Structures are given as structure tokens and as C-alpha cells.
Amino acid sequence: MTTPKPRVALFVTCLVDFFRPTVGFSAVKLLEDAGCDVSVPAGQTCCGQPAYNSGDRAGARALAEQVIALFEGFDHVVIPSGSCAGMVKTHYPDLFSGEPNWRLRAEALADKTHELTSFLVDVLGVAPLPATWEGTATYHDSCSGLRELGVKDQPRRLLSAVDGLAIKEMRDPEACCGFGGAFCVKYDEISNAIVERKVADVRSTGAELLLAGDLGCLLNIAGKLRREGSSVEVRHVAEVLAGMANGPAIGETRK
Amino acid sequence: MSGGLTSLSFPKNAHAALANPPLLKAIAHIEETLVSGRRRATEALPEFEALRDAGRDIKAHTLAHLDLYLEAFERKVMEAGGFVHWAADAADANRIILDICQKAGARRVTKGKSMITEEVGLNAYLQANGIAPVETDLGEYIIQLRGETPSHIIAPAVHVNKEQVAADFRRVHTDLDPKRNLEEPTSLLAEARGVLRESFLSADVGITGANFLVAETGSTVIVTNEGNGDLTQILPKTHIVLASIEKVVPTLEDVATIMRLLARSATGQEMSVYTTFSTGPRRPGDPDGPEAFHVVLLDNGRSAMLGSEFEDMLRCIRCGACINHCPVYRSIGGHAYGSVYPGPMGSVLTPSLQGLEKSAHLANASTLCGRCESVCPMRIPLPKMLRHWREKEFERHLTPKKARFGLAAWRFLATRPRLYGLATRFGAWGLARLAGRDGALRQVPLAGGWTRWRDLPAPEGGTFRTEWAKRGRK
């Protein structure tokens, strides 16, 4: 008798849906290769982070309720973003204090929600099918994934199995990139000063590829590298792991 | 206030700071001094994380019984022959201190480094009443000469370089040889010591803050690296301690526990160079010490934080680790915040002290990266509390109209998946077309804050949901 495949719902996130479908397809491939039965529930939009971080609790709740109703029926929910996974895992239960019913549902969802690389390593414990990427990469630890969910070794462990890929660490891979959601346009000048330092750190490694697990950070860093005329490629870690890093990188000119 | 800057003009202040290369160069040093210092010191102490738990628990326990411990402290101070004064707000504290100084016939007072005297604006108040305060901490002395406020809670002159200090010394110390060599930090230090020595000896009153108040013994504790605090509190006939109420801890043992966290978190030292306990005035037979010992206990909004979502902030021991590790502070320095306390701890505390209306921007000027919380020795959930302030702003309609509109529009769209699908499909297609083969956009309508500094990577074309549906998947 074979054990039934775990039923996994992928929450692609609003940024991946809009900017970088390749990340979503990479996540699907990684999960299916790992033996999961993957669904992408229709009707998914945003996890509510913009509202939550702007003090709009009611707005955040409205979206949290939508996400809970849509995803609670699956064995696992996987998100290719540390900050969206952090929102569901650490902040959803807080949104429903004083409402035991919703709170229980929020907690149940939080328990089975995982950031992509930590799901592959910590929950499934499987090695992805071998992928190849020739060159040197550096890895940016996105803040929420790192500090809310403890995502640090998982992506590095997965990357160490990629053929031809060497990791060269930044001086301070855990430093914020300055994105911060609305912060990057509200206090754009400060955000720029922060991403300038991040990009200088990226460039000083000499790596040809910058990877991270959050599209917000990646858009910010890629946008800055582009503006500076750098040729460093920027990609979501899932693209390289899934062997889907052959199209144009984030912000890269199409050939 | 910091040189007249207020929190209301934060973006402007930040803009000015970012256009000030000497300032940026000076604050860049925080990385190789304070940040690496902390890293080395904490990595060398295996029990550091356990100590953080212990420190948090001591403070949390004390705050839960604050009235009890403050009254115990008061009793012990009086038993030792000292006086305790209760100040509800800054005006109260200033009045009480002025009164003590006037009764002592004071003309000149020396001061140890104290953020709490900055909070109440003591120097200006004393000056206006004919008493000359002299700062004796080197950093504080420098900024006093410059007419500035501290830009950092433990390194008040971190924004100043040594050339600026040399110029200030030449401008103020006019009785010294104008041709003297002031190129080396050691010669600056020697000059400050010489000048300050006279102040120490001629001061009528010494005023210090306190890092701890010990309920068990009625002692006040200060930590310094220069010994100036000791000379401030031992030489004059009167010693006044101004401390806020949350500084109290139950026992000397508790001080010892938290002391192991304080200097490591602040500067990376195992201990500060001087740690001084003051218990009452000089006793018969004591070789030195003040004849009168006063403790002024300041509330200034703190008791209202008890039992609120901001109570955890009262665990703060003012080490400055959150400030040193904050990407925003590291970009603009402390004065831009326009508040007495800068950085994450300042942005949480300031609205409690001066009201949310006057603190606009502070809670928002953070990426919520969480590094502050990860280094806080007292495990204060700073990002969570910044978010609480944002919620209060939103509830009170202090959030700017444009932002409220944006949030309402996003909620409208994101709770209507079909409409959302259509809008995002159209948007992604449009932006991809606009970018053409370029892959990124240098200018995008309504996204000036983004494209002023960086390109906007273009969407790939179709949204994930449309591409997924095309493949007949669910």
C-alpha cells in the first residue's frame, strides 16, 4: 500500500502572480517532484500584509478571513515568500484575539503553513531532483523569513546540491534590503540609502547571481542593480532549485 | 528637540542628513565599533541567550509590582538619610531640581551623562534660572559646546568627527594656546579633562541619572566609561539623581544579572569601566561623598503605559543595541528623528511621552526588519509595538488620506478575486508591453518613489493565475 500524496495548496502571493509567474511554476515543480499533490486554489489574492503593516487591522482581517476559508481544507499550505508565510504563521492568530472561532481556524492554518524552502527541508526532508547552475551566487536572507520563521540554513542546504553552483556569502547577508513594503515609496530616499548598502555588499562578493526567497526584496535589489548598470543576475531561489533559471532574470533584458 | 528639528518634518530631516557626507561617514563607524563589538561579546558568552530571558523576566516581574518596589526603594533611600521626590512630568522634575539647587545656593552644577535630563530639558531650564550646567561626559560635553542634543543614547556625539571637535575646542577654550596641536584624539581628551577638572572642583551640585534603582538597598547605580559620573556625584556637596520609575529592580542580584547584558549589548564590553553604587549621603567616617542625596523619580507618561500594549517598552535598559542595528538609523543618524530618543526604541517610546500627534512618521519610519528585536537584551517586541502605533494612527484617522485611500482600494480589489484577476492581468500585460524587451522600467506613472532611485523590473507578461489556467490546472 502506498501512502497517499500530501495535498498541498500553493499560495503564490500577489507579487509572484503579477511580476514573476516563473517562481510559482518553479514552486509547483519542486513540490510535485517531492511527491506532493499540488493545487493552486482559485480566488487567492493577497495575504493582507500591506493593510496589517499600515495599521489597518480591519482590512488585514478581511483578507485573512478570505485566505483561511480558501486554504484551510488542505494538508499543507506552501508559500514562496518568507514575509507572506510569516504573516499567516505569526500574525493571523493575533488578528483574531477575542474571537475564539476565527482564532482557532487561524491557528490551525498557521500550523500547516510553511515557507517553500523550509517546507522542503524541515517538513518533507527530501532533496530536490538535481539541478545545474554554473557560477557563483550569493544569498540574501529576507527579514521576515529569517527572523519570524528561522529560514537561514534551508535554502543554503538545498542550493548546496545544485551542480556547478558555489555560494559566496555577503559581509552581512542578514541586513535589510530597505524594501519594507510601503516604506520603500513612503520614505524612498531612506529606502534607497539602505538598498545602496545592500547592493554594494552584493557586488563586493563578485557573485554573478543574487538569490533570495522573497520577491519584494528581489524586485528592490534587482531594480537597484539595474539602475547602477550592474550585470548581476537576480532570481528567486526556487527558480534555480527547480532548474527553471534559463529565461531572463528579474529585470533583465529579454534576448 | 534636536537642533530645532521635530518629528513632524522627519522626511525633510532625513533628506538633509543624507546630503551630509561627514555625518554619514561618522555614523558608518557604528558597524566596526558597536555592532562588531556586540557580536564578539555575545558570541563569547554561551549563556547570553539565557541571560536575555532572565533579564526580561526580572523586568517583567518588577513592572507587574512596580508600586511595591518603588515604595520599598523610597523607604530604603530615606533610611539611608536621603530624600525621594516624585515628579509626575517634566515640569515637575525641573521645578524640584531647581528648588534643591537654589536651596543649596548653587551657581554651577556638573552633570553625568543622562538621557532622562534630556527628556525633561533640564539644562535649558537651569540656565534660564541662572544656574550653569556643565556636561562632564566627553560626548555630552562636545555636543553642549556645539549647542546640540545627543544623536544617540549611549554615544551622544557619534555624529561628530574629531576635526569638528578640535574646531569647537579652539572656538570655546580661548584661554589656551591657539597654536596647540589638537590632531590626535588623545590631545582632545587631555584638553577636555583639564577644562572639566575645574568644573568638577567648583560645582555646588552634581546631577546624574541612574541605570538602576535597587529596591532592596535604596541604591542608585550608574555605569560609565570615563569616571566622570563618580566625580560628579562624589565631589559636590549635593548629589541629585533623576531617574524614571521603570529603572527600579528588586535586588542587587538582579542588577548583577542585567549588568551582564547591558555593556555587552551596548558597546561589546564585558563590563563598563566604572560601575558606581550610591546609597544615601556620606556617613560619618566615609572618606568622601555628598552631604545631601536626593532622588527624583519621574513618571512622565510611563505609568499610563503599564497594562497597555506598550508596557513591554518599560523593560528597556537603554543599551542602544536596537539603534545600532537599525538600517534606518544607520542611514540618517539620530537628529533626523526629531525626538529625544532616536531609533526603534525612540519611535516606540516617544509617542507615549509626547503624544501620537506630535510623533507623526516615527512609527512608520521603519522597514519592520526585526533586527532591533533580535538584538534587544530585554527581548522587547519593538516591531510589534511600532505596528500598534500604526494601528492607533489608523484608528484616529492620523494616517494620511492618500494612504487610507490606497488601502481601501486594495482591500476592495483583493476581496473581489474575479475583478482582481482582471485588473492584475491587464496591469501586468500593460507594464510588460511598456517595458518591451528591456525587462525593466526607468519610469512608471504613480510610482515615482520607486523609479526615482531604482528601475522597476517588468512583469513577465501573463499573471501566474492566467498561465496556470491556460495549462488546464486547478
Side-chain angles (χ1 to χ4, degrees), chain A residues 12 14 17-22 24-25 28 32 38-40 43-46 50-57 59 62-63 66 91 143 147 171-172 175-176 179-180 183-194 197 219-220 223-224 226-227 250-254, chain B residues 10-11 14-15 18 31 327-328 330-332 361 364-371 374 384 387 390-391 394 407 410-411 414-415 417 420 424 427-428 431 436-440 442 449-460 462-465 467-468 471 473-474:
Chain A
V12 285
C14 59
D17 180 53
F18 188 85
F19 282 99
R20 195 80 181 157
T22 300
F25 287 110
V28 170
E32 287 183 340
V38 180
S39 305
V40 183
Q44 55 174 291
T45 61
C46 159
Y52 188 60
N53 287 339
S54 304
D56 176 10
R57 267 181 96 86
L63 287 169
Q66 179 174 297
H91 301 301
C143 298
R147 298 191 184 90
R171 190 188 51 74
D172 194 359
C176 176
F179 174 64
F183 175 87
C184 71
V185 285
K186 217 155 151 190
Y187 301 101
D188 57 298
E189 208 174 350
I190 302 171
S191 171
N192 176 57
I194 301 173
R197 290 199 295 275
L219 292 169
N220 184 36
K224 191 66 196 173
R226 265 289 303 233
R227 184 61 60 91
I250 297 170
E252 193 187 19
T253 308
R254 289 157 169 76
Chain B
F10 175 81
H15 175 77
L18 286 163
E31 176 69 34
V328 174
R330 293 272 295 280
S331 301
I332 58 174
H361 293 294
N364 300 293
S366 162
T367 63
L368 300 179
C369 79
R371 212 167 197 176
S374 76
K384 189 171 156 186
R387 226 183 256 116
R390 295 181 187 186
E391 283 165 6
F394 193 86
L407 289 166
W410 181 248
R411 176 180 174 174
T415 48
Y420 178 93
T424 49
L431 278 180
R437 287 164 49 131
D438 207 28
R442 290 188 70 85
W450 182 284
T451 51
R452 199 168 144 212
W453 309 103
R454 59 218 133 185
D455 290 1
L456 180 69
E460 289 181 299
T463 63
F464 178 83
R465 298 193 336 166
E467 297 299 315
W468 184 250
R471 295 174 199 204
R473 297 286 308 258
K474 283 200 171 159

